[in-house]
Amino acid sequence: MAEHESLEFGKADFVLMDNVCMEDFMANLKLRFEKGRIYSYIGEVVVSVNPYRAMNIYGRDAVEQYRNRELYERPPHLFAIADAAYKAMKRRNKDTCIVISGESGAGKTEASKYIMQYIAAITNPNQRAEVERVKNMLLKSNCVLEAFGNAKTNRNDNSSRFGKYMDINFDFKGDPIGGHISNYLLEKVRGPYAQGPSCSGLLRGGPESLLRSLHIQKDPKAYAYIKVGGQVKSSINDGADFKAVADAMKVIGFTSEETLTAYKILATTLHLGNLTFGVDGDVILIQNPKVVSVIGELLSTPEDNVEKALLFRTVATGRDVIDKQHTAQEAGYGRDALAKAMYERLFCWIVGRINDVIEVKNYDARVHGKNTVIGVLDIYGFEIFQNNSFEQFCINYCNEKLQQLFIQLVLKQEQEEYQREGIPWKHIDYFNNQIIVDLVEQQHKGIFSVLDEACMNVGKVTDEVFLQGLNGKLAKHVHYTSRKVGRNRNLLEISYFTETGPYSVVGFIDKNKDTLFQDFKRLLYNSSNPVFKAMWPEGKLRITEVTKRPLTAATLFKNSMISLVENLACKEPYYVRCIKPNDVKSPLLFEQERCRHQVEYLGLLENVRVRRAGFAYRQTYPRFLQRYKMISEFTWPNHDLPSDREAVKRLLQGCGFDHDVAYGKTKVFVRTPRTLFSLEAQRADMLQRIVLFLQKVWRGTLARTRCRRMRAGLVILRAYRRYKVKSYVREVNRRFRNVRTMKDHGRSVKWPAPPKVLRRFEELLKNIHSRWWAWTLIKVLSPEEVLQVRAKVASLEALKGQRADLGLQRAWEGNYLKRDSPDTASSLALVSGELQRKDKFMRVLFSCNVRKINHFHKVEDRALLITDRHLYKMDPQKQYKPMKSIPLYNVTGLSVSPGKDQLVVFHTKDSRDLVVCLQGMRPPAESRIGELVGALLGHFRRWKHLSVII
């Protein structure tokens, strides 16, 4: 049964109805239509109701939902039946066919297009160019055949006026490699009257230049053939369709000359409809001779020959050949016959050209593998109108023939399945319409045989004579009657399964015979256009040449139907039954009686009864277990019984349904739908519990998985960090292994890039290396040099970036008064010795000549002597007599200028600051600010109370 649809949409499969009756069938069909569910099943038959609106159920997502799925796994859809046919063809290497039937406007043509679209979408996954070309041409052929074989009618915007059977050939990989199209009974009477994309589309959509060359105008009312049908409202864009048809013909391979010839034939049929005949005494005339000239130009034939063929008929009597003049009635009849025949030949020629292009070429089964086929039959449906003629008679015969095949194949499939499974077969009563088929096609007694006999009679044969022949042979047949309506209307009636079909016999004889005069065939064969010559090969016969009597239209159609049925019977069939919900093309209206009538003549209820013969549902044991095993403790989650058959038995016995089922060899058969619905209800209840259980287990699994991943991540992270740390340490060790022997002790060695986690460690390592490097340099120095280095370091730390020259590149002497003033060195020595005895200082930190600036901005030369205990200001003019002594512990800070003036301010606790400028340097302009600052900072470092301000 179809999944994923609740009962609010009705039963997706009519086999599962509680009561098999027409009322319940129609109620379920109406409910599904109103809920927007246009597809339903009868077992493996798809029932399609035309929605008369665009539905978003045919896109790529829908294709993927039905690809490689069983019928019951998804809601009913055309894609499901297409996929089933394709899988049967591909998996079992078996030819299949899809038969689409229904009346005009039920959506058969659209259904065939969607099936073709699905097959094209699921094939050729490797995008082989040749396969894509074949797929494209198969799809485009639909467009061209619709344009020339369909018509706009009051019942349908795109009504098929012919039956089409397309065989699609597939290679051993399941990719399309070609195809073949067969057409059945194009309604010639509607050919030139068609309001389809061919004629009215040419008028409304053709470019101005093309219309001028064809001598036609855009207004369809100007042409008698099109005007006859009246104006039909349409949802089709003729202009867009014309361009689409032209593009499709180009893709298929029609040359521009061939396409133009097709347009010329359409234009010729329109012009023929406007020809009128008159009589002047005993002579018949064409009242609008200009039209003859146009027709001659379009047919590439002399105008005189066209006129002669329209007005005269060449008759051979023995060796004599005479031209017999038509009457006005005969001329009009010949004109219409020519238009119909040209349109039919055009259509058959188009089908032939398409077949030439798409047929499988150079295929050898021994080399390429078996060539399998999917057939798609899109054929007209049962038609009973107010006025029915020969076409409706043939169409309904076709439907009876196909319905008979349908019932036979369904019954055969059911019986074969029961026999395979060892289930007793129960006889089913149904209407066997073989009696209707025999009534039409039986040799010597059937309606077609009587019609052919009437056509072969010598002399004037009328439709009344044909009806008399029918009455003579079939008067006692239970399904045949005839009656006369009015003065001139005779009807034959056939009692079908659902209703009686009345057919007017007027025109049966003419439509059955090949009534086209030989003069027209010779006219078209002798055209200078090679396409016309190819279309009319019989025109090459000489006038006096005797030929076989051509087969009648009825015989040709009967033979084609027999061939079609034989072709379908050797394939595995799949069915699409199309239903038209109303006659006003409304997406909302469901006409009960209208649909009931279609359900009856399509035999859908009989199909349900056949499918329900004893058992409403059957499924293989593994599939059944897969769906329902959660219901029983013996089968969930897996059983340990000897076979799936035993497991299904135990499951159904536990549910109490053992009395309502039968067990075949590979399938279980469920008798009533109630049992199935009960199983479904129990399954739905258990699914909720299973889902909750699965959610719990899955969430626990996810949590444990996340935990394991986190732990694994941490382990990996730690291992990776250890690896990076070890790698970094090894690399540092390798690069700095020999730094002791290097001249620069490793200062030029480039440090490796550390991992992020070791950036702080790298800074510490660099600091350690720097300290070690400094220690290696300092350890070889004398105590005096060590003090000098420390002073330079202190000066650099305090003044780095503040002054350009700190004097770091030279040796710091400290006591510069001796060097700068050698003449007074003895006086300086006496004074410093005296001060050392007095103040007990240990060493001189710094001395230099300075220029002192007082509070009054008065400048005087002085000398500055700084020991480890005092700062002395001396007068160099008085043998360095001390003028002022400041204990160093009173000095709180230094301020120095950033310029070249070497200005220094000594800040004291009593705010009596000393401002001096260093001078008298030798060499001149030697920078000693850095040395002064370094000496004091080095001395004061232990107390950490001296500040330096720039």
Side-chain angles (χ1 to χ4, degrees):
M1 71 179 290
E3 265 194 81
H4 307 298
E5 283 196 335
S6 64
L7 290 178
E8 68 172 299
F9 301 112
K11 294 181 175 64
D13 194 334
F14 286 100
V15 174
L16 301 179
M17 293 192 306
D18 294 328
N19 299 313
V20 182
C21 61
M22 182 59 72
E23 289 71 21
D24 287 3
F25 189 101
M26 295 304 301
N28 190 60
L29 187 67
K30 181 179 180 181
L31 175 62
R32 291 186 62 77
F33 175 77
E34 291 173 345
K35 294 288 186 178
R37 298 303 191 268
I38 63 171
Y39 297 118
S40 305
Y41 287 144
I42 301 177
E44 295 181 351
V45 176
V46 172
V47 179
S48 170
V49 183
N50 193 338
Y52 285 120
R53 59 188 172 95
M55 301 190 72
N56 187 26
I57 56 174
Y58 305 103
R60 189 70 200 180
D61 292 343
V63 171
E64 293 302 323
Q65 285 181 15
Y66 287 89
R67 185 200 294 264
N68 292 325
R69 295 283 187 173
E70 299 299 330
L71 273 176
Y72 64 86
E73 290 188 76
R74 289 285 183 267
H77 201 290
L78 283 174
F79 289 172
I81 205 79
D83 191 75
Y86 180 75
K87 282 187 299 189
M89 179 274 300
K90 189 174 180 181
R91 293 176 180 175
R92 302 199 296 270
N93 206 24
K94 189 170 184 179
D95 293 344
T96 61
C97 64
I98 301 173
V99 180
I100 308 169
S101 59
E103 73 167 51
S104 177
K108 301 184 299 299
T109 301
E110 289 301 309
S112 68
K113 286 196 288 189
Y114 286 130
I115 288 172
M116 294 280 290
Q117 169 190 319
Y118 179 83
I119 293 174
I122 64 173
T123 53
N124 195 29
N126 298 325
Q127 296 295 305
R128 289 189 291 162
E130 176 60 20
V131 176
E132 286 299 308
R133 183 189 71 84
V134 172
K135 282 165 52 175
N136 193 29
M137 286 194 295
L138 289 172
L139 293 174
K140 293 294 185 184
S141 67
N142 269 331
C143 176
V144 177
L145 293 176
E146 283 182 28
F148 290 91
N150 292 13
K152 294 176 189 172
T153 68
N154 288 307
R155 296 160 64 89
N156 187 2
D157 280 346
N158 195 29
S159 177
S160 298
R161 307 326 303 165
F162 71 105
K164 179 186 70 177
Y165 176 73
M166 175 182 284
D167 268 334
I168 307 172
N169 298 82
F170 296 84
D171 61 13
F172 71 98
K173 292 182 289 187
D175 292 331
I177 55 175
H180 183 83
I181 298 170
S182 301
N183 64 295
Y184 304 97
L185 187 68
L186 176 72
E187 292 186 52
K188 290 191 287 184
V189 70
R190 296 203 191 183
Y193 300 100
Q195 298 190 30
S198 53
C199 287
S200 61
L202 172 63
L203 299 182
R204 295 190 180 99
E208 291 289 345
S209 57
L210 176 61
L211 298 184
R212 283 196 299 271
S213 68
L214 300 177
H215 304 282
I216 55 179
Q217 53 184 299
K218 284 186 174 294
D219 185 10
K221 294 180 181 178
Y223 300 98
Y225 282 154
I226 294 182
K227 187 167 57 177
V228 168
Q231 292 301 307
V232 179
K233 289 186 178 180
S234 170
S235 58
I236 296 177
N237 185 330
D238 286 310
D241 280 349
F242 178 82
K243 186 177 185 309
V245 171
D247 293 341
M249 293 179 74
K250 186 175 181 180
V251 169
I252 292 172
F254 287 88
T255 64
S256 56
E257 291 77 13
E258 290 173 333
T259 304
L260 180 60
T261 299
Y263 296 150
K264 286 182 178 180
I265 293 175
L266 295 178
T268 300
T269 59
L270 294 176
H271 288 303
L272 282 171
N274 288 349
L275 276 178
T276 56
F277 301 96
V279 179
D280 184 6
D282 294 333
V283 180
I284 185 171
L285 300 172
I286 297 176
Q287 294 181 334
N288 42 355
K290 288 185 178 180
V291 177
V292 178
S293 174
V294 170
I295 293 174
E297 178 186 337
L298 294 174
L299 298 181
S300 302
T301 304
E303 177 183 346
D304 294 341
N305 293 353
V306 176
E307 184 175 2
K308 182 179 177 181
L310 288 167
L311 298 179
F312 295 89
R313 180 183 179 187
T314 303
V315 180
T317 58
R319 295 183 179 179
D320 297 329
V321 178
I322 61 173
D323 292 331
K324 180 184 177 182
Q325 182 172 308
H326 289 313
T327 64
Q329 183 179 358
E330 290 173 338
Y333 177 82
R335 172 202 62 196
D336 293 342
L338 175 61
K340 297 170 188 176
M342 287 183 65
Y343 199 93
E344 182 200 22
R345 290 294 177 96
L346 170 63
F347 185 76
C348 293
W349 173 78
I350 288 173
V351 172
R353 284 286 288 112
I354 293 174
N355 283 333
D356 290 341
V357 174
I358 66 175
E359 69 178 1
V360 180
K361 301 177 181 68
N362 303 322
Y363 193 91
D364 188 347
R366 293 171 298 178
V367 177
H368 303 102
K370 186 177 182 298
N371 179 342
T372 48
V373 170
I374 291 181
V376 180
L377 177 63
D378 169 15
I379 203 158
Y380 19 60
F382 191 90
E383 291 186 348
I384 294 294
F385 300 143
Q386 188 173 359
N387 296 310
N388 302 291
S389 186
F390 180 73
E391 287 80 13
Q392 281 70 43
F393 182 79
C394 291
I395 286 171
N396 293 338
Y397 158 68
C398 167
N399 274 267
E400 291 297 315
K401 191 84 174 169
L402 293 175
Q403 181 67 12
Q404 177 66 15
L405 175 68
F406 171 68
I407 294 295
Q408 285 178 350
L409 290 178
V410 170
L411 279 173
K412 181 181 177 183
Q413 287 174 344
E414 289 288 304
Q415 189 170 1
E416 286 178 350
E417 184 174 30
Y418 276 52
Q419 289 173 350
R420 281 196 310 269
E421 297 295 328
I423 305 295
W425 171 253
K426 177 183 176 182
H427 177 71
I428 303 165
D429 291 326
Y430 67 96
F431 177 74
N432 189 340
N433 57 353
Q434 183 64 46
I435 190 172
I436 303 295
V437 174
D438 290 341
L439 172 64
V440 177
E441 69 177 18
Q442 189 175 15
Q443 290 287 343
H444 308 300
K445 294 182 180 180
I447 294 175
F448 279 161
S449 295
V450 176
L451 180 60
D452 287 349
E453 288 176 10
C455 291
M456 288 188 289
N457 288 338
V458 180
K460 185 173 178 62
V461 181
T462 63
D463 297 313
E464 288 77 5
V465 173
F466 160 60
L467 188 59
Q468 290 172 7
L470 288 178
N471 292 335
K473 291 189 177 183
L474 302 173
K476 296 182 180 180
H477 199 288
V478 295
H479 291 280
Y480 169 82
T481 57
S482 67
R483 57 191 174 93
K484 189 168 185 177
V485 180
R487 182 177 299 177
N488 297 317
R489 191 178 178 205
N490 294 297
L491 300 179
L492 70 88
E493 294 180 334
I494 296 179
S495 300
Y496 297 103
F497 171 58
T498 57
E499 63 178 306
T500 297
Y503 302 96
S504 173
V505 297
V506 176
F508 264 59
I509 296 292
D510 291 337
K511 293 173 182 178
N512 190 44
K513 293 192 298 185
D514 181 10
T515 54
L516 185 66
F517 300 138
Q518 188 70 21
D519 301 75
F520 289 126
K521 298 176 183 179
R522 284 193 293 272
L523 174 74
L524 294 167
Y525 176 78
N526 292 319
S527 168
S528 60
N529 189 324
V531 177
F532 287 115
K533 191 178 291 290
M535 284 184 186
W536 301 90
E538 66 269 40
K540 67 180 178 181
L541 298 175
R542 294 190 302 273
I543 298 173
T544 56
E545 189 171 348
V546 178
T547 60
K548 288 184 178 181
R549 183 186 297 272
L551 294 176
T552 62
T555 300
L556 289 171
F557 187 70
K558 181 183 73 172
N559 293 341
S560 66
M561 284 297 103
I562 293 173
S563 174
L564 173 63
V565 168
E566 290 176 350
N567 189 5
L568 295 177
C570 68
K571 293 179 171 61
E572 183 173 319
Y574 294 84
Y575 293 93
V576 178
R577 303 304 222 180
C578 298
I579 293 176
K580 182 178 182 179
N582 58 75
D583 286 324
V584 294
K585 306 170 188 174
S586 168
L588 304 175
L589 180 61
F590 186 89
E591 295 180 354
Q592 191 84 7
E593 288 304 315
R594 187 80 178 78
C595 296
R596 182 191 186 103
H597 174 69
Q598 296 172 73
V599 169
E600 286 176 344
Y601 73 65
L602 286 172
L604 298 185
L605 204 58
E606 273 58 46
N607 190 192
V608 175
R609 290 195 178 104
V610 169
R611 186 72 180 178
R612 280 280 296 271
F615 299 96
Y617 177 78
R618 71 285 315 265
Q619 189 55 264
T620 60
Y621 292 119
R623 294 273 186 189
F624 189 89
L625 270 181
Q626 183 182 0
R627 185 165 182 81
Y628 299 112
K629 64 181 180 179
M630 69 287 299
I631 295 175
S632 172
E633 60 180 335
F634 299 105
T635 56
W636 177 258
N638 296 298
H639 68 85
D640 55 0
L641 296 168
S643 66
D644 288 344
R645 187 176 189 271
E646 294 299 321
V648 171
K649 264 190 175 182
R650 181 66 65 88
L651 186 152
L652 291 171
Q653 287 171 355
C655 295
F657 299 137
D658 196 42
H659 66 283
D660 200 40
V661 298
Y663 303 99
K665 296 177 182 178
T666 63
K667 292 182 178 181
V668 59
F669 291 75
V670 179
R671 195 177 308 278
T672 62
R674 291 183 181 276
T675 297
L676 192 64
F677 292 142
S678 178
L679 289 171
E680 283 291 318
Q682 294 181 51
R683 177 180 180 272
D685 182 59
M686 288 302 300
L687 279 180
Q688 293 183 3
R689 303 183 188 180
I690 292 171
V691 167
L692 289 174
F693 175 76
L694 290 177
Q695 285 178 342
K696 180 185 74 172
V697 173
W698 181 242
R699 285 169 180 163
T701 301
L702 287 178
R704 286 188 290 272
T705 301
R706 282 196 298 267
C707 182
R708 284 195 294 269
R709 285 179 178 174
M710 289 174 65
R711 286 179 178 173
L714 288 173
V715 170
I716 293 170
L717 183 61
R718 288 169 183 165
Y720 183 70
R721 282 181 174 176
R722 284 196 297 270
Y723 162 75
K724 295 295 285 184
V725 168
K726 288 180 180 179
S727 298
Y728 177 74
V729 171
R730 289 194 194 100
E731 183 63 18
V732 170
N733 182 55
R734 185 186 66 80
R735 295 189 183 188
F736 288 88
R737 183 175 298 164
N738 300 317
V739 291
R740 288 188 177 90
T741 60
M742 295 179 182
K743 283 187 176 182
D744 61 352
H745 300 290
R747 294 292 286 180
S748 60
V749 176
K750 185 177 180 181
W751 286 81
K756 188 175 181 180
V757 70
L758 293 181
R759 287 178 184 172
R760 176 62 182 157
F761 178 69
E762 181 195 36
E763 294 177 3
L764 295 174
L765 277 182
K766 287 182 177 179
N767 190 28
I768 291 170
H769 176 260
S770 297
R771 293 173 68 84
W772 173 83
W773 174 80
W775 176 79
T776 56
L777 294 180
I778 293 174
K779 71 178 181 178
V780 299
L781 300 179
S782 62
E784 292 77 11
E785 290 175 331
V786 170
L787 290 175
Q788 188 175 133
V789 169
R790 287 179 176 171
K792 286 184 177 182
V793 170
S795 176
L796 182 64
E797 290 176 349
L799 302 178
K800 184 178 180 180
Q802 306 296 326
R803 292 185 62 86
D805 184 13
L806 298 178
L808 300 176
Q809 305 303 322
R810 60 180 178 82
W812 286 0
E813 298 180 12
N815 191 354
Y816 289 98
L817 289 176
K818 292 181 180 180
R819 194 186 73 177
D820 294 343
S821 305
D823 298 339
T824 58
S826 57
S827 300
L828 179 62
L830 291 174
V831 173
S832 75
E834 183 66 24
L835 291 175
Q836 187 175 16
R837 285 192 299 271
K838 177 183 175 184
D839 295 330
K840 310 296 183 186
F841 65 83
M842 301 297 296
R843 62 188 182 91
V844 176
L845 300 179
F846 184 81
S847 67
C848 180
N849 290 312
V850 299
R851 181 168 294 173
K852 182 228 177 198
I853 304 170
N854 61 18
H855 296 291
F856 304 103
H857 303 291
K858 184 178 179 181
V859 179
E860 295 176 344
D861 292 334
R862 294 287 185 266
L864 187 68
L865 177 65
I866 302 174
T867 67
D868 55 1
R869 299 180 70 89
H870 288 79
L871 185 153
Y872 300 100
K873 182 178 68 173
M874 301 177 178
D875 188 353
Q877 303 297 330
K878 298 179 179 180
Q879 287 85 31
Y880 293 98
K881 177 183 177 182
M883 299 180 65
K884 186 176 183 181
S885 173
I886 303 173
L888 283 186
Y889 58 80
N890 279 340
V891 177
T892 60
L894 287 178
S895 292
V896 299
S897 67
K900 296 181 180 181
D901 51 10
Q902 302 195 59
L903 177 69
V904 182
V905 178
F906 294 92
H907 301 286
T908 61
K909 292 180 179 180
D910 55 4
S911 300
R912 299 179 65 183
D913 298 344
L914 176 63
V915 182
V916 298
C917 284
L918 305 185
Q919 65 171 1
M921 282 75 73
R922 294 185 182 180
E926 184 180 62
S927 177
R928 295 176 181 171
I929 287 291
E931 185 175 355
L932 171 61
V933 171
L936 289 175
L937 286 175
H939 176 72
F940 280 98
R941 179 165 291 174
R942 69 186 67 180
W943 293 285
K944 300 181 181 179
H945 70 272
L946 182 70
S947 62
V948 179
I949 301 173
I950 305 298

